[in-house]
C-alpha cells in the first residue's frame, strides 16, 4: 500500500502482523529495546525487518538500524529513510541520498483523535479546514489524518534540520483527493543547499488505515 504514495525512487516494504520467525535484531538494536514491553519489541523488530527488505531492493545488505539522535533511525551512509508502525501495520521506506534528500512516512488507524487532542495539535486554520472537509460517514477521520501529515512532515524534516518541531511549526492543507501541502512556520529545512519552505505529500486511506508520505526529491 505505502508504495502507492511514494515516488519511484523510494523502495518500501510493509507488514500487517508481527512474525518472529526469521526476524532477528542486531546487538545494538536489541540493546535499544532491552527494557521495552513485548509489543514494542515486536513492532521495533518487524519494522526493521521491513527496512532491511527495502534496503535489499536498493542492493544494500542487512545493516543495523538502532535509534539515533532524538530517536531518528541511523541509516547506512548514502541512504535516507523513514519507518512507521501502528496497530496492524508496519512500514519502512528508503532511498539513495543521491536521488532523494529525505523521506518521511506515517501510519495511523483511521479513527478520530481522542477528545481534546485536535485542539493541541491543530492550528485554528487547520481546525477550520477539518470542519470544511466534513465528517461524512464515508469520510476519513480528518483530524487523525492531519496528525499523520504532521508526523510525516516532522520525519522528513528532522534528518535535514536536526531539531524537534512543535505541532504549531507547520501548517497543513489537506486535499480530499489524496494530496496535502505543508508550510513551515519556523525556519525551514535545507535540502541540496536550498531552503524548503513548503513540502507536498500524499495520503491514502484503506482497510482502516491512514498512510501519509513526503519525499523530497
Ligand atoms: C517521533 C514521532 C514522530 C513518532 O511518531 P509516532 O506516530 O508516535 O510513531 P510511528 O510509529 O509513526 O513512528 C515511529 C518511528 O519514527 C521514527 N522516528 C522517531 N523519531 C524520529 C525523528 N526525530 N526523526 C525521524 N524519524 C523518527 C523511528 O523510526 C520510530 O520507530 P522506531 O522507534 O521503531 O525506530 C512522534 O512520537 C513525535 O515525537 N512527534 C512529535 C513531533 C512532531 O510530530 N511534531 C509535528 C511537527 S508539525
Amino acid at each position: 500500500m505505502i508504495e502507492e504514495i511514494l515516488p519511484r525512487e523510494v523502495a518500501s516494504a510493509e507488514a500487517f502482523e508481527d512474525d518472529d520467525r526469521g526476524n532477528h535484531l542486531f546487538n545494538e538494536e536489541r540493546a535499544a529495546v532491552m527494557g521495552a514491553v513485548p509489543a514494542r519489541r515486536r513492532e521495533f523488530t518487524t519494522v526493521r525487518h521491513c527496512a532491511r527488505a527495502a534496503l535489499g531492493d536498493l542492493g544494500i545488505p542487512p545493516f543495523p538500524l538502532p535509534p539515533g539522535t532524538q530517536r531518528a533511525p541511523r541509516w547506512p551512509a548514502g541512504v535516507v529513510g523513514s519507518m512507521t508502525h501502528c496497530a496492524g501495520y508496519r512500514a519502512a521506506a528508503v532511498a539513495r541520498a543521491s536521488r532523494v534528500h529525505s523521506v518521511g512516512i506515517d501510519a495511523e488507524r483511521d479513527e478520530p483523535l481522542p477528545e481534546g487532542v485536535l485542539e493541541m495539535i491543530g492550528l485554528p486554520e487547520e481546525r477550520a479546514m477539518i470542519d470544511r472537509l466534513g465528517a461524512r460517514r464515508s469520510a476519513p477521520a480528518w483530524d487523525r489524518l492531519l496528525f499523520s501529515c504532521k508526523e510525516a512532515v516532522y520525519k522528513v524534516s528532522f534528518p535535514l534540520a536536526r531539531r524537534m518541531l512543535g505541532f504549531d511549526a507547520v501548517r497543513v492543507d489537506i486535499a480530499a483527493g489524496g494530496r496535502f501541502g505543508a508550510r513551515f512556520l519556523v525556519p525551514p529545512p535545507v535540502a541540496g543547499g536550498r531552503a524548503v519552505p513548503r513540502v507536498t505529500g500524499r495520503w491514502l486511506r484503506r482497510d482502516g488505515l491512514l498512510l501519509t508520505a513526503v519525499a523530497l526529491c
Side-chain angles (χ1 to χ4, degrees):
M1 268 159 62
I2 193 84
E3 78 279 2
E4 294 179 37
I5 55 170
L6 286 165
R8 238 194 319 266
E9 296 87 339
V10 178
S12 63
E14 63 196 352
F16 296 87
E17 57 188 22
D18 298 314
D19 178 358
D20 294 341
R21 288 169 298 171
N23 291 354
H24 88 287
L25 291 178
F26 285 86
N27 286 341
E28 52 270 63
E29 295 172 333
R30 198 172 301 113
V33 283
M34 191 103 80
V37 296
R40 167 65 180 143
R41 285 209 299 272
R42 282 197 295 273
E43 67 173 22
F44 182 97
T45 304
T46 305
V47 81
R48 277 159 178 78
H49 179 73
C50 293
R52 287 191 257 279
L55 287 169
D57 288 346
L58 299 182
I60 297 169
F63 192 92
L65 302 165
T69 313
Q70 294 268 12
R71 285 186 49 207
R74 291 210 303 265
W75 298 100
V79 170
V80 297
S82 184
M83 294 191 253
T84 186
H85 22 61
C86 70
Y89 190 75
R90 287 87 174 82
V94 297
R96 295 274 181 192
S98 54
R99 307 197 68 187
V100 176
H101 296 300
S102 184
V103 59
I105 61 170
D106 189 69
E108 300 287 332
R109 300 301 309 174
D110 182 16
E111 290 161 6
L113 291 171
E115 189 80 32
V117 174
L118 177 60
E119 289 64 31
M120 294 191 305
I121 64 113
L123 298 168
E125 307 91 306
E126 293 170 331
R127 302 207 298 266
M129 169 185 73
I130 282 170
D131 285 344
R132 276 197 310 279
L133 286 164
R136 293 184 312 277
R137 190 197 295 230
S138 58
W142 297 115
D143 57 351
R144 183 75 67 165
L145 182 59
L146 171 67
F147 177 76
S148 183
C149 294
K150 291 199 175 207
E151 299 282 76
V153 171
Y154 174 62
K155 291 181 194 176
V156 83
S157 145
F158 185 83
L160 302 169
R162 310 301 293 177
R163 69 188 164 116
M164 182 69 183
L165 291 180
F167 283 93
D168 56 355
V170 165
R171 179 182 159 181
V172 170
D173 276 303
I174 297 173
R179 299 199 177 253
F180 68 93
R183 177 169 292 283
F184 288 92
L185 306 177
V186 294
V190 174
R194 297 172 66 166
V196 186
R198 189 172 188 282
V199 297
T200 55
R202 296 183 63 188
W203 63 269
L204 176 71
R205 176 202 196 206
R206 189 174 302 155
D207 298 339
L209 293 165
L210 296 172
L211 308 183
T212 52
V214 183
L216 293 182
C217 297

